Amino acid sequence: MSEQETHGYKVGEPIKDTKAPEGPIEGRWDKRRFSAKLVNPANKRKINVIVVGTGLAGGSAAATLGELGYKVKSFCYQDSPRRAHSIAAQGGINAAKNYRGDGDSIYRLFYDTVKGGDFRARESNVYRLAQVSVNIIDQAVAQGVPFAREYGGLLDTRSFGGAQVSRTFYARGQTGQQLLLGAYSALERQIAAGTVEMHTRHEMLDVVVSDGRARGVIVRDMVTGEIETHLADAVVLATGGYGNVFFLSTNAKGCNTTAIWRAHQRGAMFANPCYTQIHPTCIPVSGDYQSKLTLMSESLRNDGRVWVPLAKGDARKPADIPEDERDYYLERIYPAFGNLVPRDIASRAAKNVCDEGRGVGPGGLGVYLDFADAITRLGRDAVEKKYGNLFEMYERITGENPYEAPMRIYPAVHYTMGGLWVDYDLQSTIPGLFVIGEANFSDHGANRLGASALMQGLADGYFVLPTTIGDYLAGATAFDEVDEEAVTQAREAVQQKIDKLLSVNGTRTADSYHRELGKLMWDYCGMERTEESLRKALERIPELREEFWNNVKVPGDPEGLNQALERAGRVADFFDLAELMCIDALHRTESCGGHFRAESQDQDGEALRDDDNFAYVAAWEWGEDGPTLHKEVLDYEYVKMTQRSYK
Amino acid sequence: MAVTGAILVLFLVGHMVGNLKSFFGADSFNHYAEWLRTVGSPAVPNRVLLTVVEIALVLAVALHMWSAVSLARRASKARPVKYAAKRKSQANGYATHTMRYGGVIIVLFVVWHLLDMTFGAVNPEGFDAEPYDRLVAGFDPSRWWVTLFYVVAMIMVGLHLRHGLWSAFQTLGLASGRSYGKLKAAAALVSLVLVVGFLAVPVGVMIGVIK
Amino acid sequence: MGMNLTLKVWRQNGSSDEGRMVTYKVEDVSPDMSFLEMLDVLNERLILEGDDPVAFDHDCREGICGMCGMVINGVAHGEQRATTTCQLHMRHFEDGAEITIEPWRAAPFPVVKDLVVDRSAFDRIIQAGGFISVPAGSAPDAHSVPVKKDDADAAFDAATCIGCGACVAACPNGSASLFTAAKITHLGLLPQGQPERDSRAKAMVEQMDMEGFGGCTNTGECTAVCPKGIPLDTIARMNADYLKASK
């Protein structure tokens, strides 16, 4: 049988990133900056750019493009650009400043990121990210971001996520908030200056592609319900990740795939959709009504010990289980790294012990994270100083006191490494459509290192995109008028979908379908995937989608604020995305980073990559009759491909 | 609010000190009252300085009230639709309850007090009597309800000042998180001293120390 | 096993509607639910019954985005201290309780629908000066200006404001002083913020007044309900900076 028949996809021509310069890796970004065409300052005023999303990437990009003199329109679905979910990032931001003199360097950050990404990211992109990382810290400090400091007045750093050097800058447990508010204030400054026009409570529902170029967006004013067209010379998508396909994730409730999915349907390829990062330390689900999961900073694993009872179904209170009847499984399996193994390994190990029936808490989906030893060793005060706010947060949510009983934790979907395919210039396969931040696939490969998401979002927004987009916009004055037919067609497609959702008038809510889809994705395309589970998912998703479109109940009118309608539209797109994720996961028969195929593991149960067959980016082209795979082969000139080992 | 309030606090301190003269007998008190009228003389004619102070006080009171009224009006404009649930104060509600309503009671009192002690209009002894006699007559045990009104008003003044004093420092930007404790303690102490000082006189009259 | 509750919820279909309190019964509420999850349950039922679900703002549901906020039994974000509505859990309510739920009430926060209000006034206050002017790419090395740890920590405390608007909702005067002061304090404490310190304080305070917020009478209600515990002395700082700038 052909691949198409067995997996439901076609294989197309390979794809290549043509923008990254050749030559020594240290000089590539400089080369590209010099070769990129500049836009005449007088022309910038006449050039319109649309930026969708106001997180770290979108907020910083809109602000910077405004500073440069472009006419910018910025959109977000929240009531203020300050609310984007970047705000929830806790841990910190990496930068190769080497302020500690502990051997860090741009090259080392580059190396760690390529390796951490399990050799599925582009070297050129990652090197640039490491280079730019140092400018981000300078920029943020100048903006007044109150990073943690030492008594000498200089910036404090910490080692994060198992890194051997101390390169993570942080602002208590609220680094994302402080960085986002920095970008937000820069954005508000440009709004006041008149260079950026802000549209809050607007949701992007389609891209206008005219003459092969992205020339605008169709949005819905969420307050009036009006469908609006906004045209421009280029469109930047900074709409974040799609972890909410699992319904339960650490994403904000509003995070969705609609913007990138519609762009995908208009011709932008979607790369590596199956790479999903599962964070090991989240507060477990407490009941069916659960609406989201809350992450607890990974730093807890520095002092907490992870364990489950040795015996299955041991229902005793944790304090009643004697030491020799406990299994500190991370310390047992990974004696060198112990409780500090990387996220994916810690997550999968938790799943394994729970699958064995040794999980704790409601439904047996949890493991203990115990601070009893740390409290004995360091004293309660020291523990409180380090983790007090996290302990409070845990108690607020669970009603349990972690000083007295061990915390219960369980893995949860946290970040999606996949996203729209972009070249070195961050341009998608639709000319004029740029994609930045978590919405693109570019820099993390198959797995993202801790404290690197903030770095990538800001690198894209402040430094990379504002340079590379100029190269494209230098030709903007010669662009044709936007084809009216393209606008009408996009508007009609949006309108039809809304009308259809409102007319079904079935018997189930959009949320209930979303929950079911999420459960299915978690079970079949979650931490561990098998050919069997993925085939099951691919069978079930179309059925469920069919049922959704025939039985969903969306109340109210298209006019006015209608939150149920907003949600239903997003769920509809999640169905389509879920299917592509499973196809991607099924086709990639190796295990790598955030994609673990049970069939591909070594004798110790560790992920086994297949570099001979899968050292490529899977870029998917949308088609009515199924997707087409385009492979971008990855070359490693600098970092030697090795199998990760944390034993 | 803060500046006019500060002027009024200074006045209260002076007023209290003057009142306490009544414990040293009628001559001492009347002499003090006389001094108020003649201070500055002969450099300036009698009553000039007193009039200046009176005008300043009237202005301070007027501005203080005007600030209060405009703050209240701004507040009601800022919240045209009220909450249906009874709002539960989370910061003990002290300031909210004592300042605005307390202020009104204090104004009513001041009017009465002037009619009573200054103009003698509602005083048994009338305008032509010596200040000391008006004082003793005003707080005569038979007029216990006047004394009671006075006591209530003085307590209101104390409560008003307890918030007003530290609040003035806050408004003028002179407070900080570290100084709140001290400021609040000082405000409470000053308020207490003033209340005790002012109440000493009517109590003195009641128990016959002043007669 | 679960709790049974009576909710009195403000319903208002758009800014021109008059609005009214509507009573709903919610049954079998788990004490482990968050307040918003309890409302989700109500909304799922309302949708299936063909009713209009209650509109409310929310996003991160982990207490940091500042999008959620309602006045619960007369207290902004409910009686649990230092907690946003999304982080408030039903275990703090009694079985059989009656809960009144209203939107933030302030003229500068007009109701959009039900419990959703328009807080763009806050954005405009920031636009007036809540920033340090530094174009991307022009920043000196981060270690070129040391900052005293105490100042950095105090700036951080003020910078944790999530812009939810509870301070306005709780203030008997409907004042936005705590919000405005938090930003003025955050930037005013850092050496980077000095060049624009005076103009910032002046412009932000004037914008705040222009938006129609009430004046501050130092009642302290704001800081008591603030989910992030922004301290009251930020307002003293704002006043000092404003007076200095107005001279």
Side-chain angles (χ1 to χ4, degrees), chain A residues 162-278:
Chain A
Q164 314 275 8
V165 290
S166 182
R167 62 160 76 102
T168 305
F169 296 80
Y170 65 101
R172 269 179 238 168
Q174 283 148 264
T175 319
Q177 180 199 27
Q178 294 309 314
L179 288 168
L180 182 69
L181 293 182
Y184 160 76
S185 66
L187 177 61
E188 292 297 332
R189 178 172 155 250
Q190 292 307 308
I191 294 170
T195 60
V196 178
E197 191 182 299
M198 187 70 225
H199 299 265
T200 59
R201 294 199 197 268
H202 277 68
E203 180 163 29
M204 178 191 139
L205 296 178
D206 212 342
V207 191
V208 176
V209 180
S210 162
D211 201 18
R213 294 177 189 278
R215 293 300 301 276
V217 291
I218 310 294
V219 296
R220 180 171 179 272
D221 179 330
M222 293 155 76
V223 175
T224 63
E226 197 182 328
I227 305 298
E228 302 171 357
T229 308
H230 294 268
L231 299 179
D233 297 293
V235 174
V236 181
L237 297 187
T239 54
Y242 48 87
N244 271 351
V245 69
F246 293 90
F247 187 78
L248 289 179
S249 81
T250 65
N251 285 184
K253 288 298 287 173
C255 292
N256 66 83
T257 191
T258 292
I260 57 172
W261 189 256
R262 300 298 171 88
H264 175 55
Q265 289 179 317
R266 293 263 170 221
M269 289 189 199
F270 205 122
N272 302 331
C274 77
Y275 293 158
T276 313
Q277 185 167 78
I278 313 247

Side-chain angles (χ1 to χ4, degrees), chain A residues 132-437:
Chain A
V132 170
S133 69
V134 297
N135 304 107
I136 297 172
I137 301 302
D138 298 342
Q139 177 66 21
V141 166
Q143 282 174 342
V145 170
F147 283 121
R149 287 183 184 264
E150 296 181 322
Y151 283 101
L154 300 179
L155 295 168
D156 192 15
T157 53
R158 60 186 173 195
S159 151
F160 194 78
Q164 314 275 8
V165 290
S166 182
R167 62 160 76 102
T168 305
F169 296 80
Y170 65 101
R172 269 179 238 168
Q174 283 148 264
T175 319
Q177 180 199 27
Q178 294 309 314
L179 288 168
L180 182 69
L181 293 182
Y184 160 76
S185 66
L187 177 61
E188 292 297 332
R189 178 172 155 250
Q190 292 307 308
I191 294 170
T195 60
V196 178
E197 191 182 299
M198 187 70 225
H199 299 265
T200 59
R201 294 199 197 268
H202 277 68
E203 180 163 29
M204 178 191 139
L205 296 178
D206 212 342
V207 191
V208 176
V209 180
S210 162
D211 201 18
R213 294 177 189 278
R215 293 300 301 276
V217 291
I218 310 294
V219 296
R220 180 171 179 272
D221 179 330
M222 293 155 76
V223 175
T224 63
E226 197 182 328
I227 305 298
E228 302 171 357
T229 308
H230 294 268
L231 299 179
D233 297 293
V235 174
V236 181
L237 297 187
T239 54
Y242 48 87
N244 271 351
V245 69
F246 293 90
F247 187 78
L248 289 179
S249 81
T250 65
N251 285 184
K253 288 298 287 173
C255 292
N256 66 83
T257 191
T258 292
I260 57 172
W261 189 256
R262 300 298 171 88
H264 175 55
Q265 289 179 317
R266 293 263 170 221
M269 289 189 199
F270 205 122
N272 302 331
C274 77
Y275 293 158
T276 313
Q277 185 167 78
I278 313 247
H279 197 287
T281 50
C282 297
I283 299 175
V285 174
S286 69
D288 300 334
Y289 47 79
Q290 189 94 21
S291 62
K292 82 151 266 155
L293 296 170
T294 304
L295 180 132
M296 305 282 290
S297 170
E298 204 160 15
S299 63
L300 288 169
R301 286 199 282 145
N302 288 334
D303 287 301
R305 296 180 70 196
V306 178
W307 64 276
V308 289
L310 262 179
K312 278 185 197 177
D314 189 338
R316 284 177 291 177
K317 280 196 198 136
D320 298 339
I321 302 178
E323 204 59 27
D324 60 352
E325 291 176 42
R326 299 176 176 192
D327 180 12
Y328 295 89
Y329 57 91
L330 288 177
E331 297 169 24
R332 172 173 59 81
I333 309 173
Y334 309 98
F337 281 76
N339 296 298
L340 292 173
V341 290
R343 291 175 176 177
D344 53 332
I345 292 177
S347 296
R348 219 164 47 242
K351 175 181 161 47
N352 290 340
V353 294
C354 292
D355 287 352
E356 290 165 18
R358 298 195 287 144
V360 297
L365 292 176
V367 299
Y368 289 126
L369 179 62
D370 200 334
F371 286 85
D373 284 1
I375 292 170
T376 316
R377 181 163 43 90
L378 306 165
R380 190 186 147 126
D381 287 353
V383 170
E384 188 172 343
K385 229 180 213 142
K386 258 174 139 169
Y387 307 112
N389 56 342
L390 294 167
F391 279 32
E392 263 172 45
M393 179 169 90
Y394 181 85
E395 186 168 0
R396 200 174 297 140
I397 292 172
T398 61
E400 291 167 19
N401 180 350
Y403 292 102
E404 282 156 18
M407 288 183 178
R408 285 175 298 109
I409 55 166
Y410 199 64
V413 173
H414 174 54
Y415 188 90
T416 48
M417 280 69 69
L420 292 184
W421 186 90
V422 290
D423 60 18
Y424 189 70
D425 281 0
L426 304 179
Q427 185 166 220
S428 72
T429 49
I430 301 176
L433 182 76
F434 292 78
V435 190
I436 58 179

